Amino acid sequence: MNISIYYADWDYLREYDERAFIAVTFKGNNCRDKHPKGYNLVHEEVGSFDDMTDQEILSDYFERFNIGDRGKKWVRSMSVGDQVQIDDRTWICKPIGWERFNEY
């Protein structure tokens, strides 16, 4: 299973298009395809998570990137608008929980 974590660059997204913040935060849209410079890849990992559901993986990474080692890199804590891609599925961190991304 391939895991990729992308952090939103809110300064870039707000400058480029204020609607991007609303689209990601409230509507669950994936702006990474439309605004690739607005997201930074902060972690990639290939692992065997076959016995875990997506929700279990997301919870694990949320805890790890807010409390744990953050992949041995200095990055800010995971927050609203950040994305975790699990194979071909993209999940967006919401104010409460996660939402699978929707097409525009």
Side-chain angles (χ1 to χ4, degrees):
M1 205 173 269
N2 297 311
I3 309 288
S4 301
I5 298 175
Y6 297 88
Y7 278 7
D9 180 343
W10 288 116
D11 291 334
Y12 174 85
L13 289 172
R14 279 189 196 103
E15 182 179 319
Y16 187 81
D17 185 354
E18 181 64 33
R19 293 172 297 170
F21 176 78
I22 294 167
V24 169
T25 307
F26 300 107
K27 296 183 180 177
N29 291 340
N30 180 1
C31 291
R32 198 173 76 226
D33 294 333
K34 188 174 180 183
H35 305 288
K37 291 182 181 178
Y39 287 86
N40 302 307
L41 177 65
V42 296
H43 182 77
E44 286 186 298
E45 186 172 338
V46 177
S48 178
F49 302 96
D50 296 333
D51 58 337
M52 297 174 73
T53 66
D54 281 5
Q55 291 299 322
E56 290 170 328
I57 293 169
L58 293 167
S59 293
D60 182 63
Y61 275 92
F62 187 84
E63 181 176 326
R64 183 172 161 191
F65 276 75
N66 282 291
I67 299 169
D69 67 8
R70 295 187 180 116
K72 308 233 184 281
K73 299 176 186 174
W74 190 94
V75 293
R76 65 168 172 75
S77 296
M78 188 177 287
S79 62
V80 172
D82 295 338
Q83 299 181 9
V84 175
Q85 186 168 339
I86 303 171
D87 289 331
D88 62 345
R89 300 173 304 282
T90 300
W91 292 87
I92 299 169
C93 186
K94 302 297 281 181
I96 298 175
W98 294 88
E99 185 174 324
R100 186 130 177 228
F101 110 87
N102 302 312
E103 295 287 343
Y104 274 91

